[in-house]
C-alpha cells in the first residue's frame, strides 16, 4: 500500500508492537494523513519511544528513525477522548475504552455507512486499576478482533492473584531471589499494586525488598497519576485518600550498579521476554541457584528466551555464548490483559457482526479459534463469516446499500409535490449525496464555480454579409458589432442567441473565430453555428439570387435535389444528432428520447405522434428551407 493513499492512522495504545513504527511512517514515508490516539497514549508515546531508541542495540545507520523524527511525529499527533467522534475526509471514528493498558482504545469506524469495529488489544476483565473494555452500542458490520490466546481460558482473577502472591512468598521464604521480567508499562503497574498491598498485609516481609528496575516507568508514573479519571472506581476512590501509585514497599532501581545482590528480594525488570537488558542479565546470574525463581506474568512470543524457559530446559545459551544450567524454578501466571477464549467469544457474540476478522495472534491459535467459532455458529445456524488473513493479505468485503440524496439550500425551501421535476447539481462529498442549486455550490458545497470560455477557429472565405444572412436564416435575429478588444485587430463580431460570438478579423480574412461560455446548452448552439458556417461555401443559397423569377428547369435539377437533401440532413444532424435517411424517398427520420419524427424533404413536411417533437422539427425545417430554397418557386417567363 502506498502510504500517501492513507488518510487516517489510528493508534490503539502505547506498546511498542503497536506504536514503535509510527515515527517511521510519519517522517520517513510519503504518508501525509492525520494520526490520532488518546491523551494518555500520546503522553506515554514520547517517553516510551525515546527509551526504545536509547536501549536499542542498533547502529545509527541501521536505525529506522532518529530522536528528532520521533519528536516531529509527536507534535503532529492529535489526541482524542473516549466517545469523541471525529470525521476526516468522510471517515467517522469514535474511540472506546479497551481495558488492556491505560489509554488503550478500540475504534468504531464508519465509511460510507459501513461500520467496522477494530478492538486492538483489549480486556473484558476489570482489574485493580483498569476498567473492562466496553462494547459500543452500535450495529457493527465488520469486527476485527485479536486472537492472542486462541482457545485458551484464564483462571479467575482472585485465584490468580492468590496463587501469584503465594508463589512470590514461597520463593523469598526459602531465601531465593524472585525475577519477574515485565514490560516497563502496562501490566507492571497492576503487579506493583498487588505486591504493595500484599506486603502491607504481611509485616513479616518488611525486610524483603521489592525492586522495580525501570527509569522509564518512574517518569511515566506521573501520567498514571494525571489520568486517574480514566481508571476504575476502586482506584479513583483510593486516590481521594492517598495516591495509590506512591508505593510504600517498592523501590525504584535506576541501574544495576545500585543493586546490592545480597539476599532474598523481588525484582521486576524489563524487557518482558528476556531478550536482553537487565532482566536477561539477572536471569543468567540467578538461573543456576535452585532457591531462586522465575515468574513469567505475561504472554511470550515463540522463539524468545522467556518462552523457552517455560519449557524448563536443562540449560540455555547466555549472550556471550556460554551454556548456563537452569536450576531456578520457573512458573507462569498470566496477568496478560488480553481477552481469553471465553471473553473473546462472548464479545463476538454480543457485537453480532456478520463478518469477523481475526488478527494479532499466532497462526495455530488463530485457526483453532476460527474452528471453535465456526462450530458454534454452525450449530446455531447463524450466518457469521470468520477470516484469518496473514500479514499483508487483503480481505475484500462487498456491501450494497441504498443511496439517498438530500436536497439542501434553495431547493429545500419548498416541499416537493408528486411528480415534480427537480433541477439542481448533485454533489458527492465524503460519501454523502446532496442536490443543490448552482447558486448554493460555493456556500453549501464548498465548491468554487468558474467560467470556461471555449474558442474555435473555423476556415471561412466569404464575406460577413453572407455569413450573417445564413445565420439569420437558421437562428433569427443576429446582432452585429465591431470588435472592441484592444489586443485584437479591427473586424466584425456577430452574436447568435446572445451566447455565441462569431468574430471575423480584417487581419485574418480566411477564418472566423467562435467564442462562447461553455455549458451543455451553449455547446449545442455552438455546434449548430459551426455546421452552418461549414456548409456556407457549398450551399446553393450562397449563390446570388436572380433578380427576376423564372420557371425553367435544367438537367441539373436532380443533382441540385440530391445536394439539397444532403444539406437538410446536415442541418438536422447538427440540431438533433445522428438521423436515419432514405435517399430514394428523400425522407429523414429523427429520433429524440425515444420519439420519432419523419421529414419529407421534397414537400418539407413533418409527421410525428409526439406533438412537441413535431413542432420542434418543423420550426427547424422552416429555417432550413429558407437556406436551401431561398429563391421563390414562382417564376415568371
Amino acid at each position: 500500500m502506498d502510504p500517501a493513499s492513507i488518510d487516517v492512522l489510528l493508534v490503539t495504545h502505547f506498546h511498542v508492537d503497536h506504536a514503535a513504527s509510527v515515527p517511521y511512517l510519519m517522517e520517513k514515508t510519503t504518508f501525509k494523513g492525520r494520526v490520532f490516539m488518546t491523551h494518555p497514549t500520546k503522553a506515554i508515546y514520547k517517553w516510551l519511544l525515546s527509551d526504545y531508541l536509547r536501549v536499542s542495540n542498533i547502529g545509527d545507520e541501521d536505525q529506522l528513525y532518529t530522536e528528532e523524527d520521533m519528536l516531529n511525529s509527536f507534535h503532529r499527533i492529535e489526541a482524542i477522548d473516549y466517545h469523541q467522534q471525529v470525521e476526516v475526509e468522510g471517515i467517522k471514528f469514535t474511540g472506546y475504552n479497551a481495558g488492556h493498558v491505560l489509554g488503550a482504545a478500540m475504534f468504531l469506524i464508519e465509511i460510507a455507512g459501513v461500520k467496522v469495529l477494530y478492538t486492538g488489544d483489549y480486556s473484558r476483565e476489570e482489574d485493580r486499576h483498569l476498567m473492562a473494555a466496553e462494547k459500543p452500542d452500535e450495529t457493527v458490520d465488520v469486527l476485527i478482533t485479536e486472537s492472542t490466546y486462541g482457545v485458551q481460558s484464564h483462571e479467575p482473577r482472585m485465584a490468580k492473584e492468590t496463587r501469584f502472591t503465594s508463589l512470590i512468598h514461597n520463593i523469598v521464604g526459602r531465601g531465593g531471589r524472585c525475577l519477574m521480567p515485565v514490560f516497563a508499562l502496562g501490566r507492571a503497574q497492576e503487579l506493583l499494586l498487588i505486591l504493595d498491598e500484599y506486603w502491607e498485609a504481611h509485616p513479616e516481609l518488611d525486610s524483603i525488598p521489592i525492586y522495580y528496575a525501570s527509569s522509564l516507568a518512574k517518569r511515566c508514573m506521573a501520567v498514571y497519576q494525571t489520568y486517574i479519571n480514566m481508571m476504575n472506581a476502586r482506584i479513583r476512590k483510593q486516590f481521594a485518600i492517598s495516591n495509590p501509585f506512591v508505593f510504600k514497599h517498592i523501590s525504584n532501581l535506576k541501574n544495576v550498579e545500585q543493586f546490592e545482590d545480597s539476599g532474598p528480594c523481588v525484582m521486576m525488570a524489563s524487557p518482558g521476554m528476556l531478550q536482553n537488558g537487565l532482566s536477561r542479565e539477572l536471569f543468567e546470574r540467578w538461573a543456576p541457584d535452585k532457591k531462586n525463581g522465575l515468574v513469567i506474568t505475561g504472554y511470550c512470543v515463540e522463539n524468545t528466551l522467556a518462552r523457552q524457559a517455560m519449557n524448563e530446559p536443562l540449560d540455555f545459551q547466555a549472550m556471550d555464548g556460554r551454556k548456563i544450567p537452569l536450576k531456578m524454578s520457573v512458573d507462569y501466571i498470566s496477568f496478560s490483559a488480553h481477552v481469553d477464549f471465553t471473553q473473546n467469544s462472548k464479545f463476538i457474540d454480543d457485537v453480532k457482526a456478520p463478518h469477523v476478522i481475526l488478527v494479532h495472534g499466532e497462526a495455530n491459535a488463530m485457526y483453532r479459534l476460527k474452528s471453535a467459532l465456526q462450530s458454534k455458529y454452525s450449530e446455531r445456524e447463524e450466518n457469521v463469516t470468520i477470516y484469518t488473513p496473514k500479514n499483508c493479505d487483503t480481505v475484500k468485503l462487498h456491501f450494497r446499500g441504498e443511496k439517498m440524496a438530500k436536497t439542501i439550500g434553495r431547493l429545500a425551501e419548498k416541499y416537493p409535490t408528486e411528480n415534480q421535476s427537480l433541477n439542481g447539481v448533485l454533489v458527492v462529498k465524503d460519501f454523502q449525496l446532496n442536490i443543490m442549486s448552482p447558486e448554493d455550490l460555493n456556500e453549501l458545497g464548498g465548491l468554487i464555480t468558474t467560467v470556461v470560455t471555449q474558442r474555435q477557429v473555423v476556415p471561412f472565405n466569404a464575406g460577413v454579409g453572407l455569413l450573417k444572412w445564413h445565420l439569420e436564416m437558421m437562428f433569427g435575429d443576429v446582432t452585429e458589432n465591431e470588435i472592441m478588444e484592444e489586443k485584437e485587430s479591427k473586424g466584425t463580431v456577430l452574436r447568435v442567441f446572445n451566447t455565441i460570438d462569431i468574430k471575423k478579423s480584417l487581419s485574418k480574412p480566411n477564418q472566423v473565430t467562435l467564442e462562447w461560455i461553455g455549458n451543455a446548452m451553449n455547446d449545442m448552439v455552438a455546434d449548430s453555428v459551426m455546421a452552418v458556417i461549414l456548409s456556407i461555401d457549398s450551399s446553393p443559397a450562397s449563390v446570388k439570387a436572380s433578380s427576376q423569377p423564372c420557371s425553367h428547369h435544367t438537367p441539373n435539377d436532380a443533382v441540385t435535389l440530391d445536394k439539397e437533401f444532403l444539406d437538410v440532413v446536415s442541418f438536422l444532424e447538427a440540431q438533433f444528432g445522428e438521423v436515419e435517411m432514405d435517399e430514394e424517398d428523400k425522407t429523414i427520420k429523427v429520433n429524440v428520447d425515444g420519439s420519432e419524427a419523419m421529414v419529407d424533404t421534397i414537400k418539407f413536411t413533418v409527421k410525428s405522434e409526439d406533438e412537441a417533437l413535431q413542432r420542434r422539427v418543423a420550426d427547424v425545417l422552416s429555417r432550413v428551407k429558407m437556406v436551401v430554397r431561398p429563391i421563390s418557386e414562382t417564376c415568371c417567363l
Side-chain angles (χ1 to χ4, degrees):
M1 175 181 287
D2 180 6
S5 67
I6 302 173
D7 297 308
V8 178
L9 174 66
L10 305 177
V11 182
T12 58
H13 62 289
F14 54 70
H15 278 156
V16 291
D17 58 327
H18 291 260
S21 63
V22 172
Y24 175 79
L25 179 68
M26 295 179 69
E27 301 299 322
K28 298 296 187 181
T29 72
T30 56
F31 173 79
K32 299 299 178 185
R34 295 168 66 182
V35 181
F36 297 88
M37 58 180 66
T38 64
H39 290 275
T41 301
K42 182 178 180 181
I44 294 175
Y45 166 91
K46 178 180 179 181
W47 299 110
L48 191 69
L49 295 195
S50 179
D51 188 68
Y52 161 75
L53 289 172
R54 181 180 59 81
V55 302
S56 295
N57 295 322
I58 304 175
D60 291 343
E61 66 279 0
D62 296 323
Q63 285 279 20
L64 292 177
Y65 53 85
T66 64
E67 180 85 9
E68 183 180 1
D69 293 328
M70 187 275 295
L71 292 174
N72 290 338
S73 72
F74 174 80
H75 295 303
R76 288 174 52 196
I77 292 171
E78 300 175 57
I80 60 171
D81 295 316
Y82 290 145
H83 309 135
Q84 174 188 348
Q85 186 181 79
V86 182
E87 183 170 352
V88 179
E89 302 293 337
I91 303 170
K92 299 177 184 177
F93 62 89
T94 306
Y96 293 87
N97 172 42
H100 190 61
V101 293
L102 177 64
M106 57 176 66
F107 288 100
L108 180 65
I109 306 158
E110 181 179 351
I111 303 175
V114 177
K115 294 183 179 180
V116 180
L117 178 61
Y118 175 62
T119 67
D121 292 357
Y122 78 111
S123 172
R124 290 284 281 174
E125 182 179 44
E126 182 170 324
D127 58 25
R128 287 178 174 264
H129 73 295
L130 294 176
M131 294 180 285
E134 57 187 324
K135 184 188 81 69
D137 189 20
E138 299 274 355
T139 300
V140 175
D141 300 297
V142 182
L143 172 64
I144 305 175
T145 182
E146 66 160 299
S147 55
T148 309
Y149 281 96
V151 294
Q152 297 181 45
S153 293
H154 301 322
E155 64 180 305
R157 184 172 68 87
M158 295 306 297
K160 179 168 52 181
E161 289 186 8
T162 300
R163 188 161 68 91
F164 170 70
T165 52
S166 297
L167 180 61
I168 302 295
H169 200 147
N170 289 338
I171 293 173
V172 297
R174 67 183 183 233
R177 298 162 178 82
C178 177
L179 174 63
M180 285 188 288
V182 294
F183 295 107
L185 296 166
R187 290 296 83 196
Q189 281 64 42
E190 177 76 3
L191 298 176
L192 291 173
L193 289 168
I194 295 172
L195 289 175
D196 199 53
E197 182 180 300
Y198 186 79
W199 250 244
E200 180 71 17
H202 293 79
E204 70 275 16
L205 297 176
D206 280 347
S207 61
I208 308 296
I210 303 174
Y211 298 106
Y212 184 31
S214 175
S215 57
L216 170 64
K218 184 178 181 180
R219 291 198 301 270
C220 293
M221 198 58 69
V223 178
Y224 276 74
Q225 296 170 10
T226 301
Y227 293 102
I228 288 288
N229 64 310
M230 299 183 75
M231 300 181 193
N232 59 26
R234 177 186 178 277
I235 210 80
R236 293 198 302 270
K237 183 178 179 180
Q238 186 177 345
F239 186 75
I241 302 171
S242 63
N243 190 339
F245 292 103
V246 175
F247 302 110
K248 298 178 181 179
H249 303 279
I250 297 167
S251 303
N252 186 68
L253 190 65
K254 293 183 179 180
N255 51 61
V256 71
E257 287 77 17
Q258 292 182 340
F259 175 51
E260 185 178 343
D261 190 3
S262 60
C265 66
V266 179
M267 175 69 74
M268 294 175 60
S270 59
M273 300 189 196
L274 299 174
Q275 60 267 41
N276 51 36
L278 180 59
S279 65
R280 176 64 174 264
E281 181 180 340
L282 293 177
F283 178 61
E284 293 183 2
R285 182 190 301 180
W286 294 345
D289 190 342
K290 63 181 181 180
K291 289 188 299 183
N292 300 331
L294 173 69
V295 179
I296 297 174
T297 59
Y299 180 79
C300 298
V301 177
E302 284 282 0
N303 300 320
T304 59
L305 182 57
R307 186 68 167 259
Q308 294 171 13
M310 289 169 59
N311 297 324
E312 299 187 52
L314 296 177
D315 53 34
F316 63 94
Q317 187 172 6
M319 295 187 72
D320 60 6
R322 294 177 296 117
K323 287 288 185 180
I324 297 178
L326 178 60
K327 295 183 179 180
M328 69 190 308
S329 63
V330 179
D331 293 277
Y332 174 65
I333 303 177
S334 177
F335 281 89
S336 176
H338 292 269
V339 286
D340 63 1
F341 173 71
T342 304
Q343 298 166 7
N344 206 9
S345 60
K346 186 177 186 309
F347 185 77
I348 294 171
D349 286 345
D350 293 343
V351 172
K352 292 183 173 60
H355 300 278
V356 178
I357 302 176
L358 303 179
V359 296
H360 197 282
E362 296 173 359
N364 291 335
M366 289 174 63
Y367 294 144
R368 284 195 290 268
L369 178 57
K370 177 181 179 180
S371 177
L373 292 173
Q374 285 178 331
S375 298
K376 179 170 67 172
Y377 292 127
S378 122
E379 290 174 3
R380 298 181 186 175
E381 297 184 353
E382 294 183 24
N383 187 20
V384 178
T385 307
I386 315 290
Y387 306 85
T388 54
K390 297 179 181 179
N391 290 343
C392 300
D393 279 358
T394 299
V395 178
K396 292 185 178 181
L397 304 175
H398 299 277
F399 296 90
R400 295 183 64 183
E402 293 184 357
K403 291 185 177 180
M404 180 179 66
K406 298 180 181 179
T407 56
I408 60 175
R410 290 175 172 82
L411 294 182
E413 290 177 351
K414 293 183 179 180
Y415 195 83
T417 59
E418 188 175 356
N419 297 325
Q420 175 187 343
S421 60
L422 185 66
N423 296 318
V425 179
L426 179 64
V427 178
V428 181
K429 182 181 180 183
D430 297 341
F431 307 106
Q432 294 182 345
L433 285 73
N434 294 312
I435 303 175
M436 63 188 73
S437 169
E439 290 80 9
D440 292 329
L441 284 175
N442 190 5
E443 181 179 355
L444 301 179
L447 301 175
I448 300 175
T449 58
T450 58
V451 175
V452 178
T453 300
Q454 307 244 42
R455 185 176 289 108
Q456 180 71 51
V457 177
V458 182
F460 182 74
N461 298 306
V464 174
L466 182 61
L467 173 61
K468 182 179 180 181
W469 183 80
H470 274 275
L471 294 174
E472 287 179 335
M473 291 300 100
M474 176 61 74
F475 302 106
D477 291 338
V478 175
T479 60
E480 179 178 351
N481 294 292
E482 293 184 0
I483 296 177
M484 303 299 294
E485 287 85 347
E486 295 181 359
K487 294 183 180 180
E488 297 191 34
S489 59
K490 293 183 178 180
T492 303
V493 56
L494 304 177
R495 171 159 285 198
V496 174
F497 288 163
N498 202 34
T499 56
I500 312 298
D501 287 340
I502 303 99
K503 297 180 180 180
K504 184 165 177 59
S505 173
L506 295 178
S507 62
K508 298 178 181 179
N510 298 322
Q511 67 182 44
V512 292
T513 301
L514 276 66
E515 286 187 2
W516 70 97
I517 294 175
N519 60 48
M521 183 61 69
N522 291 355
D523 290 350
M524 186 184 301
V525 177
D527 288 343
S528 299
V529 170
M530 195 177 304
V532 171
I533 294 173
L534 293 173
S535 66
I536 289 177
D537 287 342
S538 59
S539 173
S542 298
V543 182
K544 186 176 180 180
S546 172
S547 61
Q548 298 293 330
C550 60
S551 61
H552 60 277
H553 299 276
T554 69
N556 293 326
D557 281 354
V559 176
T560 301
L561 191 61
D562 287 341
K563 180 64 174 63
E564 179 181 282
F565 174 71
L566 295 176
D567 286 341
V568 175
V569 171
S570 176
F571 279 112
L572 292 178
E573 283 184 336
Q575 286 289 333
F576 303 103
E578 189 174 351
V579 299
E580 299 178 22
M581 60 181 181
D582 187 332
E583 294 190 23
E584 291 186 5
D585 295 337
K586 297 295 185 286
T587 59
I588 304 171
K589 184 187 292 185
V590 177
N591 291 282
V592 177
D593 296 333
S595 299
E596 295 182 354
M598 186 63 72
V599 178
D600 186 332
T601 62
I602 298 177
K603 298 179 181 179
F604 275 84
T605 58
V606 181
K607 292 182 180 180
S608 175
E609 294 181 359
D610 188 327
E611 294 182 2
L613 179 61
Q614 182 174 345
R615 287 195 301 271
R616 182 179 171 191
V617 176
D619 183 61
V620 173
L621 192 63
S622 65
R623 296 180 181 275
V624 173
K625 183 178 179 180
M626 294 176 66
V627 174
V628 299
R629 292 187 182 178
I631 304 175
S632 172
E633 293 182 355
T634 305
C635 300
C636 61
L637 294 173

